[in-house]
Amino acid sequence: MRLVVVSAGLSVPSSTRLLADRLAAAVHGHTPVDVRVVELRDLAVEIAHRFTSGFPGKALAAAQDAVAEADGLIVVTPVFSASYSGLFKSFFDVLERDALAGKPVLIAATGGSARHSLVLEHALRPLFAHLRAVVVPTGVYAASEDWGAEGLAERIERAAGELAALMPGTADRRGRDDGVVPFAERLAALGR
């Protein structure tokens, strides 16, 4: 299965990328996945050119294809001005219209303070609902003080399990692995 991680961190090293990597590793712990990371920082110029020319460059087109072909998606953004970053939003603005329709997505964000944790509910969840993605119930927010603190690892594990359960081809708890587990059945399995 293909898991694509979209990281909108701008610095190197980036706490946004660190969270993205921890989430991907946790999903891989639930089900074998091939992970591809899309670093939006590296695509910033091509994203801007896509808006002005109407055509994606090679790297942006490859990233768009990876997202469209993914079996599951992890998206992580730093919080800027109480919302997702402009680069993060711009990437999703240039995707094909139905690229995320029905695709399971785990939303996550990083910020300097716990005060911004509602970004998951007031910005990210509505964005991906609009894009017709299937957003897993647990989003993960990591403030500066969360790194190494109690609770973050448990949130990561819970969200990763939810995403893995919704990805096609993942065996549910009864051992079924034919890739056609009905969506409602997958969602019900999350409550077990």
Side-chain angles (χ1 to χ4, degrees), residues 36 72 86 93 105 116 124 147 151 178 189:
R36 163 115 191 250
D93 283 344
V105 176
H116 295 296
L124 288 166
W147 297 101
D178 58 8

Side-chain angles (χ1 to χ4, degrees), residues 15 75 88 90 120 144 154 171 189:
S15 62
V75 298
F88 181 85
S90 293
L120 297 171
S144 298
E154 291 79 10

Side-chain angles (χ1 to χ4, degrees), residues 137-172:
T138 301
V140 179
Y141 179 81
S144 298
E145 64 266 16
D146 287 328
W147 297 101
E150 193 174 320
L152 180 59
E154 291 79 10
R155 292 193 311 274
I156 288 171
E157 186 61 31
R158 182 173 55 245
E162 292 169 358
L163 179 62
L166 291 176
M167 292 174 69
T170 301
D172 71 8

Side-chain angles (χ1 to χ4, degrees), residues 6-23:
V6 177
S7 174
L10 297 177
S11 60
V12 178
S14 163
S15 62
T16 301
R17 175 62 190 266
L18 177 62
L19 180 58
D21 290 345
R22 288 186 62 185
L23 288 163

Side-chain angles (χ1 to χ4, degrees), residues 45-70:
V45 172
E46 286 194 33
I47 291 169
H49 286 165
R50 167 60 178 80
F51 279 114
T52 58
S53 73
F55 300 100
K58 286 183 182 180
L60 177 58
Q64 290 173 315
D65 290 344
V67 167
E69 296 167 4

